[in-house]
Amino acid sequence: MEKTGLTMLFETLAINNGRILNLDYHNRRFKQGQLFLHCQTMIDDIANIVNISDEFDNKFIRCRVTYDKYSIKVEYFDYIPKSIQSFKIIECDSIDYAYKYDDRNLLNQLLSQKGDCDEIIIIKNGLVTDCSIGNLLFLKDDIWYTPNTPLLKGVQRAYLLDVGKIHLTAIHKNDICQYKKVMMINALNAFDENRAVSIKCIF
């Protein structure tokens, strides 16, 4: 990026076999981000700046679009999923991640407190929010719920809510033990019960 000292946001896209997944949801959030930054040039469709190469055929690609008020950068990476088998509860009442900020220093500081666990569950004002890399789902009585107090309203979360796969609820820190399993979701990790872990893996 040529200019410094500006608020920067980013969007992470999953490209599967040459197709951007959940494109409409990304465009919705991308537009909100551009409006928030007062971007000089508005881009209506993020697909217009993504180069879908023939090399992406039969591959799962992580595409990162980083942008500020004046400029934009698009990068492509082979995606290596993170194995999450355990979570640690971390409390932080000051965190604000309403937009997908490129500055993740506070999130990284919180994650550094995970100890021997793979990920964290961030508690804000006594309520469950997200983990460091995505939204969370909780299973109780064969129904999957997601906290109604997320730090960031993710695209995968929005899609699952729209299709009725998951349901909103308030989850207090002390209520976590009432659930059976927890699952992380984000743009690159769709709903998959095989990735869910037992609540017993939270400590």
Side-chain angles (χ1 to χ4, degrees):
M1 314 292 287
E2 295 181 358
K3 296 181 180 291
T4 60
L6 296 170
T7 298
M8 296 174 60
L9 304 180
F10 74 100
E11 197 71 21
T12 301
L13 311 176
I15 301 176
N16 187 25
N17 196 25
R19 182 174 69 89
I20 300 173
L21 304 184
N22 291 320
L23 178 58
D24 290 343
Y25 292 88
H26 282 292
N27 276 332
R28 186 185 309 166
R29 188 168 66 185
F30 187 47
K31 181 178 181 179
Q32 292 172 347
Q34 292 178 94
L35 290 172
F36 170 70
L37 295 179
H38 303 290
C39 289
Q40 290 192 336
T41 302
M42 290 290 294
I43 298 171
D44 294 328
D45 189 350
I46 201 169
N48 291 335
I49 59 172
V50 175
N51 180 23
I52 304 294
S53 168
D54 291 340
E55 297 178 1
F56 295 169
D57 289 348
N58 302 313
K59 287 186 177 181
F60 194 83
I61 300 294
R62 175 171 68 92
C63 174
R64 180 185 171 98
V65 179
T66 309
Y67 61 105
D68 61 20
K69 182 176 181 178
Y70 300 100
S71 56
I72 192 164
K73 179 172 67 173
V74 183
E75 301 171 283
Y76 308 90
F77 309 90
D78 289 332
Y79 180 60
I80 302 175
K82 178 180 179 180
S83 176
I84 299 176
Q85 300 300 320
S86 59
F87 292 83
K88 183 175 182 179
I89 293 175
I90 300 292
E91 299 193 43
C92 181
D93 293 343
S94 62
I95 189 167
D96 176 14
Y97 202 69
Y99 291 90
K100 203 168 175 64
Y101 298 108
D102 186 54
D103 182 355
R104 292 176 50 88
N105 285 334
L106 180 53
L107 284 172
N108 291 334
Q109 289 174 24
L110 297 178
L111 183 62
S112 71
Q113 303 174 41
K114 66 183 178 62
D116 294 332
C117 296
D118 299 316
E119 251 298 337
I120 59 174
I121 292 177
I122 302 170
I123 307 296
K124 181 176 181 178
N125 299 323
L127 295 169
V128 175
T129 62
D130 295 328
C131 68
S132 73
I133 58 171
N135 298 127
L136 296 170
L137 308 181
F138 293 83
L139 179 66
K140 182 168 66 173
D141 299 328
D142 296 324
I143 299 174
W144 284 97
Y145 297 92
T146 193
N148 61 6
T149 52
L151 298 176
L152 180 74
K153 296 179 180 179
V155 295
Q156 193 70 238
R157 175 182 180 274
Y159 165 74
L160 293 172
L161 284 169
D162 282 350
V163 299
K165 188 78 172 180
I166 63 176
H167 305 274
L168 289 172
T169 192
I171 303 179
H172 192 274
K173 172 188 173 183
N174 297 330
D175 295 335
I176 294 176
C177 61
Q178 298 178 11
Y179 293 83
K180 183 178 180 180
K181 292 183 178 181
V182 59
M183 182 198 309
M184 182 279 294
I185 57 167
N186 59 24
L188 296 157
N189 291 271
F191 183 95
D192 181 355
E193 295 201 35
N194 291 324
R195 293 191 300 100
V197 300
S198 171
I199 291 295
K200 296 177 181 178
C201 295
I202 297 174
F203 46 85

